[in-house]
Amino acid sequence: MAYDGSCHCGAVTFSVEGDAPTQALSCNCSICRRKGMLLAFAPRSSLTLRGEESLASYLFNTHRIEHRFCTTCGVEPFALATAPDGTPSVAINLRCVPAIDLEALEIQRFDGASR
């Protein structure tokens, strides 16, 4: 099973192979707080992407997370990083997945502002 998402304008669409998440991470770091992202993590190999030519990247602080955003609408549907065990990972912005009931998610708070 897979779940699908997109940026606002639809230039970037994606599918993630696996069950739809029931939990999300809410981080208070400077970028997540400003964007209001709710994140779920998956192996990068589970991501199928269409419209990559419409994406740009933003790196800040330690440059360990590649924030990918649509150059047309500015929405960040996901970010690329490496999990603590070294696995290439993707952080999916669940606000970009219309089929996810955001109110039903179990929210885990992460204090990224203090790191």
Side-chain angles (χ1 to χ4, degrees):
M1 181 142 194
Y3 56 96
D4 303 318
S6 70
C7 64
H8 187 258
C9 71
V12 177
T13 62
F14 63 89
S15 293
V16 179
E17 189 59 41
D19 294 332
T22 58
Q23 298 179 341
L25 182 123
S26 176
C27 177
N28 67 353
C29 77
S30 61
I31 196 164
C32 289
R33 183 179 70 240
R34 284 172 173 81
K35 291 186 173 200
M37 294 191 294
L38 292 175
L39 301 171
F41 301 89
R44 196 174 308 175
S45 61
S46 69
L47 178 70
T48 301
L49 178 61
R50 290 166 298 285
E52 187 164 8
E53 66 280 357
S54 295
L55 288 169
S57 296
Y58 177 66
L59 300 168
F60 73 104
N61 195 11
T62 63
H63 293 202
R64 291 179 30 213
I65 300 172
E66 183 180 358
H67 298 269
R68 303 298 309 268
F69 64 93
C70 175
T71 58
T72 301
C73 67
V75 169
E76 180 181 330
F78 62 90
L80 303 174
T82 302
D85 68 0
T87 303
S89 299
V90 60
I92 302 296
N93 181 358
L94 294 179
R95 293 188 184 277
C96 294
V97 180
I100 300 279
D101 179 2
L102 300 176
E103 298 302 317
L105 291 171
E106 177 185 332
I107 305 297
Q108 299 173 341
R109 309 276 178 215
F110 181 76
D111 185 11
S114 297
R115 293 185 181 255

